[in-house]
Amino acid sequence: MNIRAVFRGVVAGFAGVGFVLIFLFAQTGLVSPVVLLAIGTVTLVALFAAGGRTALRRVAGGAEATTDEARETGWWLTRVEPALEDTWNAWSDLVLVVCLGGIGIGSFALLVTSSSEEPPLGLLIAGFFGLNGALVSLAFAIE
């Protein structure tokens, strides 16, 4: 594997993690809209670096968009996988494992060390999805 493929794989992994974070944080409300916008901007830059304009058009639902499932559901998150498919490799899986594991462990650490009487339920959800996502991704990384 050459350096360019490794770079594109790592960047594709970060783009995938970014889309997961956007969805997770938007649903749980753990971060402010400004932080969510910043994550979205960095994610789109990573998507462009990994897949170019074609990947951006696929996520946006452009003419060369996606699978039948993505067209049927209309859910923007289903368009991410086809957009990153060409650049995804073992390095992407490794980035996904490390980042999702870090999110899961960090969320549970914040939950345990929270000083409030009722810590945010979103931390529990983020921890659960982070650790489970890391375990599922680990199966693909060691394949």
Side-chain angles (χ1 to χ4, degrees):
M1 192 177 287
N2 62 20
I3 301 246
R4 183 176 180 194
V6 170
F7 173 75
R8 288 180 74 188
V10 168
V11 173
F14 281 119
V17 168
F19 283 111
V20 169
L21 288 178
I22 290 169
F23 173 74
L24 191 60
F25 289 160
Q27 293 298 315
T28 59
L30 287 175
V31 297
S32 69
V34 174
V35 173
L36 198 59
L37 183 64
I39 292 170
T41 303
V42 170
T43 299
L44 289 177
V45 169
L47 179 66
F48 180 75
R53 291 185 318 200
T54 304
L56 286 174
R57 278 195 301 262
R58 284 182 178 169
V59 169
E64 53 191 71
T66 72
T67 63
D68 292 332
E69 180 184 338
R71 280 190 211 109
E72 288 174 12
T73 63
W75 191 37
W76 64 272
L77 205 52
T78 59
R79 295 189 298 258
V80 172
E81 188 270 332
L84 292 173
E85 186 174 21
D86 296 337
T87 57
W88 199 267
N89 56 33
W91 290 97
S92 308
D93 289 327
L94 183 63
V95 168
L96 208 58
V97 168
V98 170
C99 290
L100 289 177
I103 291 166
I105 292 170
S107 295
F108 284 132
L110 286 172
L111 189 65
V112 169
T113 60
S114 177
S115 61
S116 67
E117 298 239 347
E118 291 186 31
L121 182 61
L123 286 175
L124 182 64
I125 294 169
F128 176 76
F129 280 115
L131 286 180
N132 283 314
L135 288 173
V136 169
S137 299
L138 182 62
F140 292 103
I142 60 176
E143 181 180 313

